[in-house]
Amino acid sequence: MAMFGNLSERLTATLANLRTKGKLSASDVDGTVREIRRALLEADVALPVVKEFTAQVRERALSDDVNRALNPAQQVVQIVNDELIAILGGEVRRLSFAKQPPTVIMLAGLQGTGKTTFAGKLAKRLLGEKHAPLLVAADLQRPNAVQQLQVVGEQAGVHVHAPEPGNGVGDPVRVAKDAVKFAREKLYDVVIIDTAGRLGVDADLMKQASNIRKATNPDEVLFVIDAMIGQDAVATANAFQEGVGFTGVVLSKLDSDARGGAALSVAKVTGQPIMFASTGERLDDLEVFHPDRMASRILD
Ligand code: GDP
């Protein structure tokens, strides 16, 4: 994968080097951990995540079990793999659906991160899983946002609920609330609400998103983050966690050649799982996020 190219190369080279040794001395382990630390920092992984990751690897690699093992280096490779899976969230976390439909899924994130595109991707996927999704245009900030969602909805074959001219125009909270009512009446079982994003974290935007959340009581609030955001990932995610609160993360643009730090930091830093990965501009470019598969791709 382009995204983790450098990191992957660095880690595999470091671990391959370790494999040439039989028993591991403490200085072999320290040298390896130092290399891993450097590789992670260069990939823009957040410092607290790097620290915790390397501390765990070091502690486990220096344990007696590893030294007694037939192939200690192989054990260390396994430990690195396990710890990568752990920072990526451990288990796969799937959408949780409401007992009483409709399930409400609200999207939040900065502008340009891929929210609208993801809304279409998710709707299309749910349609394929025999759900009856409804898309809701509650991004009334950006000119054309409603129209863009309508285009996406048409491609996905999913109805888009948008404000009627003169009725609720300019009030995204009302649009979102009306949409949930509409879904209940028309038997749509999943409501996907696209919300406005600004270029930077912004108090009004947070308030608006927070009000939409209060008004619609979503089963999931998904924070969409662009893998290319780099070092800003942590501050942005924390701001959204505080201002709106979210239950899961969508990583978008995983097909880009970003260094991967955002992907590797955000689950750990926010305590919320990465649930989906968006891997391109087409509506089919969506994957359920598997921490173990991602770790294997990195260590491949
Ligand atoms: P929004 O402002 O958050 O709603 O973002 P959009 O959905 O409008 O996406 C912004 C731009 O990123 C558009 O040009 C999309 O085609 C593009 N985009 C969205 N998701 C992906 C992705 O996973 N990979 C790539 N390469 N581009 C994407």
Side-chain angles (χ1 to χ4, degrees), residues 57-79:
V57 169
R58 185 169 186 280
E59 187 187 321
R60 290 184 57 194
L62 287 172
S63 77
D64 287 345
D65 288 353
V66 170
N67 244 326
R68 273 199 299 267
L70 228 45
N71 188 339
Q74 185 53 39
Q75 294 282 102
V76 175
V77 174
Q78 189 59 45
I79 290 166

Side-chain angles (χ1 to χ4, degrees), residues 120 135 147-160 283:
L135 284 163
Q147 196 199 350
Q148 191 195 342
L149 190 69
Q150 270 158 345
V151 170
V152 162
E154 207 161 293
Q155 286 170 358
V158 171
H159 184 70
V160 175
L283 290 190

Side-chain angles (χ1 to χ4, degrees), residues 110-117 121 142 148 252-253 255 278-281:
L110 296 179
Q111 184 178 315
T113 52
K115 274 188 309 301
T116 305
T117 312
K121 291 175 175 185
R142 188 161 54 97
Q148 191 195 342
S252 74
K253 309 192 191 177
D255 54 311
S278 226
T279 56
E281 296 190 82

Side-chain angles (χ1 to χ4, degrees), residues 2-228:
M3 185 160 115
F4 288 112
N6 270 341
L7 176 65
S8 181
E9 245 170 63
R10 295 274 304 263
L11 290 181
T12 44
T14 301
L15 295 171
N17 186 30
L18 197 68
R19 281 182 215 261
T20 62
K21 309 188 193 264
K23 288 278 168 221
L24 300 182
S25 66
S27 88
D28 292 331
V29 170
D30 282 338
T32 301
V33 169
R34 245 192 329 269
E35 281 297 309
I36 293 174
R37 180 187 161 85
R38 250 185 241 139
L40 292 172
L41 287 174
E42 274 175 31
D44 274 346
V45 180
L47 187 59
V49 178
V50 175
K51 280 189 172 155
E52 192 179 326
F53 182 86
T54 48
Q56 283 294 107
V57 169
R58 185 169 186 280
E59 187 187 321
R60 290 184 57 194
L62 287 172
S63 77
D64 287 345
D65 288 353
V66 170
N67 244 326
R68 273 199 299 267
L70 228 45
N71 188 339
Q74 185 53 39
Q75 294 282 102
V76 175
V77 174
Q78 189 59 45
I79 290 166
V80 172
N81 187 60
D82 291 350
E83 294 299 330
L84 267 180
I85 295 173
I87 60 167
L88 289 167
E91 301 284 308
V92 174
R93 183 16 188 100
R94 295 186 189 274
L95 284 174
S96 70
F97 291 94
K99 287 199 188 75
Q100 285 285 348
T103 296
V104 177
I105 301 174
M106 171 180 161
L107 309 182
L110 296 179
Q111 184 178 315
T113 52
K115 274 188 309 301
T116 305
T117 312
F118 172 74
K121 291 175 175 185
L122 183 62
K124 186 170 182 196
R125 168 174 292 249
L126 289 169
L127 198 61
E129 293 170 354
K130 309 289 177 231
H131 285 284
L134 175 71
L135 284 163
V136 183
D139 176 357
L140 307 182
Q141 226 73 33
R142 188 161 54 97
N144 296 331
V146 173
Q147 196 199 350
Q148 191 195 342
L149 190 69
Q150 270 158 345
V151 170
V152 162
E154 207 161 293
Q155 286 170 358
V158 171
H159 184 70
V160 175
H161 185 89
E164 302 282 332
N167 182 12
V169 171
D171 183 0
V173 178
R174 168 140 179 226
V175 170
K177 222 172 148 172
D178 284 352
V180 177
K181 185 161 166 273
F182 176 82
R184 197 169 288 126
E185 286 164 7
K186 305 284 180 193
L187 304 181
Y188 288 98
D189 73 339
V190 186
V191 180
I192 302 169
I193 305 173
D194 189 19
T195 66
R198 305 264 168 89
L199 288 175
V201 169
D202 161 314
D204 284 349
L205 157 76
M206 290 298 175
K207 190 87 201 130
Q208 181 185 94
S210 170
N211 286 339
I212 293 175
R213 180 173 193 171
K214 282 186 200 133
T216 59
N217 190 26
D219 301 281
E220 299 275 14
V221 180
L222 302 183
F223 170 61
V224 183
I225 187 164
D226 181 335
M228 298 201 282

